[in-house]
Amino acid sequence: MISVRNLHKSFGDLHVLRGIDYEIKEKEVICVIGPSGSGKSTFLRCMNLLEDITKGEVVIDGVKINDPKTNINDIRREVGMVFQQFNLFPHMRVLDNITVSPIQIRKMNKKEAEELAHQLLKKVGLSDKANAYPEQLSGGQMQRVAIARALAMKPKIMLFDEPTSALDPEMVKEVLDVMKQLAVEGMTMVVVTHEMGFAKEMGDRVLFLDQGILIEEGSPSEIFSNPKNERTKAFFSKIL
Amino acid sequence: MRVDMFENIWSYRELFIRGIWVTLALTAVGYIGGFILGLFVGLGKLSKRKWIYYPAKYYVDFFRGTPLLVQILLIHTALIPSLFGHSLGFFVSGSVALMLNSAAYNAEIIRAGIQSIDKGQMEAARSLGMPHNTAMKLIILPQAFRRMIPPLGNELIALLKDSSLVTVIAASDLLYAGKVVAGAYSRFWEPYLTVAILYLILTFIFGKIINMIEKRFSNSYVPSSRKSISSDRRSRTGGDKR
């Protein structure tokens, strides 16, 4: 579903990604872990071209996304993204945050979009917050709205960029629970995370990145209980 | 100062009232035009395309880097006559000059306002599939405008005062009324004080209105938790950057 081939990304002289190859299959939950500065977030952001790709290619459903001929807006409609800082639109009610894109981009009519939004809010457990503004919500609630907003475009793939890192500890679970539910429903997900528990439980594959290189890849049990690479071992010895 | 002089001024009241209207009209046309033009120039200054960025940049550099008085004279005596063959009157020249000038200042206000919005907002909008312009219109500008309101209010008051410079092209604005009376009686204290006080009243009223708008929009996004706009707060509209 997503093919990443020889992906390089540089910010000026800083070579953040140094040739990553990986295939993501449909309905897989891929968890990307690694020390900070390893390029995990950049890797994720390259998949919907929030960062332009320096070298190599990313192919989603047979379409090379970093081809100048590709309309990136068409690709992004199919790829939902959830950010560490939520990035809800503060000037809109929760309901409008969710419906704005379906109405503007998918040309859905307002009533239909609002019905969809109410369904999604129910799914993330926030039925009563449709008319609230983001500033009235807790971090965990904001992140769940952000997930609902991304889902409203009916994406085929969901990207999560450290979705629980900015949350108070007691709010992490409510967000992870929503993500688990999505995974169970068969959503293809790429999750950059520090939540090793989530990666262990829900990940189909775990990728360990360090210094812009895919060091090790495998099922959670392989990676967590039996890491082969020294750097992976060193990383786990620090965090676990 | 002589009290009877104010009686003389009173007899010229229609000239002053007309002057107030001309000043207000010049300010209004200059400001609205300057805002719309400034929006495009400000967006131009944010463009990555060089052929959009550089004209916008040079525009701002020119109009902020030269005196408004020089711009007014250039437009009235050189630009408009060479475009149309004759003068189109002080109002056209004056309002065009004020518009072009305030567009440059507004452009910087608008550019800064847009840049002050967290870049995550644009990323979130783009990640939902919105094209850049749609995201700008629906997500960035509505948030940025709130932050632009205080400096845009200052700009309005600055423009109201700067509009007095059109007197040099014989515009019958408020200052001009004072000049006429001063010339007629060879008295300077009373007519110019009258003009100053009338400007002060105008800027005070504008300041109050701006203050209300500012309060309404610098408040919370949540309608129910907005503070009342009628409660008094110290005005901050005296600021002027020129």
Side-chain angles (χ1 to χ4, degrees):
Chain A
M1 188 164 210
I2 306 179
S3 305
V4 179
R5 290 176 202 144
N6 192 29
L7 177 62
H8 285 260
K9 170 68 190 176
S10 304
F11 295 101
D13 291 336
L14 190 66
H15 207 158
V16 181
L17 298 179
R18 304 155 182 256
I20 293 185
D21 287 276
Y22 199 69
E23 292 280 331
I24 297 166
K25 296 186 200 75
E26 202 174 339
K27 300 198 174 179
E28 267 185 339
V29 176
I30 307 290
C31 291
V32 185
I33 60 172
S36 65
S38 60
K40 314 180 290 287
S41 287
T42 308
F43 173 62
L44 193 77
R45 289 160 61 86
C46 283
M47 287 187 210
N48 67 355
L49 239 55
L50 281 182
E51 303 294 349
D52 52 350
I53 291 168
T54 308
K55 200 173 117 191
E57 60 180 17
V58 174
V59 178
I60 296 179
D61 267 348
V63 181
K64 182 180 168 188
I65 67 167
N66 55 326
D67 188 323
K69 277 176 253 156
T70 305
N71 181 348
I72 187 58
N73 295 322
D74 293 341
I75 302 292
R76 287 183 178 139
R77 279 160 217 183
E78 313 301 329
V79 182
M81 176 128 182
V82 174
F83 298 85
Q84 183 178 355
Q85 298 297 337
F86 330 131
N87 294 340
L88 291 184
F89 307 135
H91 59 303
M92 294 179 175
R93 294 178 303 159
V94 163
L95 191 71
D96 301 318
N97 261 276
I98 299 172
T99 58
V100 61
S101 218
I103 291 171
Q104 293 290 329
I105 309 302
R106 292 259 190 238
K107 304 295 171 202
M108 209 182 267
N109 71 45
K110 192 161 184 267
K111 197 165 161 272
E112 228 181 313
E114 287 185 352
E115 255 166 47
L116 172 67
H118 283 296
Q119 280 171 25
L120 289 168
L121 282 174
K122 195 171 165 205
K123 182 173 178 161
V124 300
L126 293 169
S127 294
D128 53 333
K129 297 292 184 192
N131 291 314
Y133 280 79
E135 68 186 76
Q136 297 170 300
L137 303 180
S138 70
Q141 291 171 331
M142 283 199 258
Q143 194 60 297
R144 284 185 282 155
V145 172
I147 294 172
R149 178 177 71 176
L151 290 174
M153 290 299 281
K154 303 202 162 89
K156 295 180 193 153
I157 301 156
M158 284 282 282
L159 308 176
F160 294 83
D161 189 4
E162 303 196 23
T164 57
S165 298
L167 296 176
D168 292 338
E170 72 269 26
M171 294 170 181
V172 169
K173 186 173 175 292
E174 62 189 57
V175 172
L176 291 181
D177 285 345
V178 171
M179 292 168 62
K180 283 178 192 170
Q181 190 191 340
L182 273 182
V184 169
E185 287 167 10
M187 175 64 79
T188 309
M189 294 163 63
V190 185
V191 186
V192 171
T193 188
H194 295 294
E195 294 295 329
M196 297 304 151
F198 177 84
K200 265 182 204 165
E201 188 185 345
M202 298 310 297
D204 292 308
R205 310 295 288 176
V206 175
L207 314 191
F208 176 72
L209 255 63
D210 192 15
Q211 292 174 6
I213 296 166
L214 177 52
I215 303 282
E216 197 165 351
E217 176 280 330
S219 68
S221 55
E222 287 165 3
I223 296 280
F224 287 106
S225 13
N226 195 14
K228 292 178 190 69
N229 191 287
E230 286 308 315
R231 279 200 256 177
T232 321
K233 285 179 196 167
F235 176 68
F236 286 139
S237 73
K238 278 182 209 144
I239 62 158
L240 295 177
Chain B
M1 226 174 292
R2 280 161 37 193
V3 177
D4 62 326
M5 193 52 213
F6 285 104
E7 281 164 22
N8 292 335
I9 290 171
W10 181 247
S11 65
Y12 278 89
R13 61 188 177 279
E14 276 175 21
L15 192 63
F16 281 91
I17 289 168
R18 181 175 146 75
I20 289 173
W21 284 117
V22 169
T23 290
L24 288 177
L26 281 169
T27 306
V29 174
Y31 191 73
I32 294 165
F35 179 78
I36 296 166
L37 183 60
L39 183 59
F40 286 104
V41 177
L43 288 169
K45 276 203 78 174
L46 290 168
S47 178
K48 286 193 192 106
R49 274 168 275 188
K50 287 202 164 89
W51 59 273
I52 297 178
Y53 171 77
Y54 279 105
K57 179 187 182 319
Y58 292 141
Y59 179 91
V60 172
D61 288 351
F62 178 80
F63 280 96
R64 291 210 312 178
T66 55
L68 176 56
L69 189 54
V70 175
Q71 294 163 16
I72 291 170
L73 288 170
L74 258 179
I75 288 166
H76 183 68
T77 58
L79 180 70
I80 288 188
S82 53
L83 283 179
F84 297 94
H86 55 89
S87 169
L88 297 178
F90 75 84
F91 193 84
V92 172
S93 307
S95 53
V96 166
L98 292 174
M99 181 182 93
L100 294 178
N101 183 270
S102 81
Y105 286 90
N106 285 337
E108 285 297 281
I109 293 169
I110 288 162
R111 178 194 58 75
I114 291 170
Q115 279 180 332
S116 76
I117 302 300
D118 183 75
K119 73 179 178 36
Q121 291 288 311
M122 181 55 100
E123 288 183 352
R126 298 305 306 273
S127 79
L128 289 166
M130 285 187 210
H132 181 273
N133 290 349
T134 309
M136 187 56 89
K137 190 177 83 187
L138 296 176
I139 308 301
I140 306 299
L141 286 179
Q143 297 181 55
F145 274 129
R146 296 184 146 233
R147 300 194 184 171
M148 294 173 199
I149 287 167
L152 284 175
N154 287 341
E155 178 57 29
L156 176 61
I157 289 184
L159 191 71
L160 176 79
K161 291 183 291 179
D162 288 350
S163 73
S164 62
L165 290 169
V166 298
T167 301
V168 295
I169 56 172
S172 55
D173 72 326
L174 179 51
L175 176 58
Y176 180 81
K179 263 175 87 173
V180 167
V181 177
Y185 295 91
S186 293
R187 295 278 312 175
F188 301 101
W189 268 107
E190 297 85 353
Y192 286 132
L193 261 183
T194 307
V195 168
I197 288 165
L198 288 172
Y199 273 113
L200 194 60
I201 292 170
L202 291 181
T203 53
F204 179 79
I205 295 168
F206 274 46
K208 280 285 174 205
I209 296 169
I210 290 163
N211 210 4
M212 268 170 65
I213 296 172
E214 214 174 286
K215 250 186 197 171
R216 162 68 180 74
F217 285 101
S218 61
N219 256 321
S220 165
Y221 284 113
V222 185
S224 61
S225 58
R226 270 180 206 140
K227 279 167 266 161
S228 158
I229 55 171
S230 54
S231 66
D232 204 37
R233 196 183 67 174
R234 249 193 100 222
S235 166
R236 50 176 297 185
T237 47
D240 181 4
K241 57 193 178 304
R242 284 172 210 173

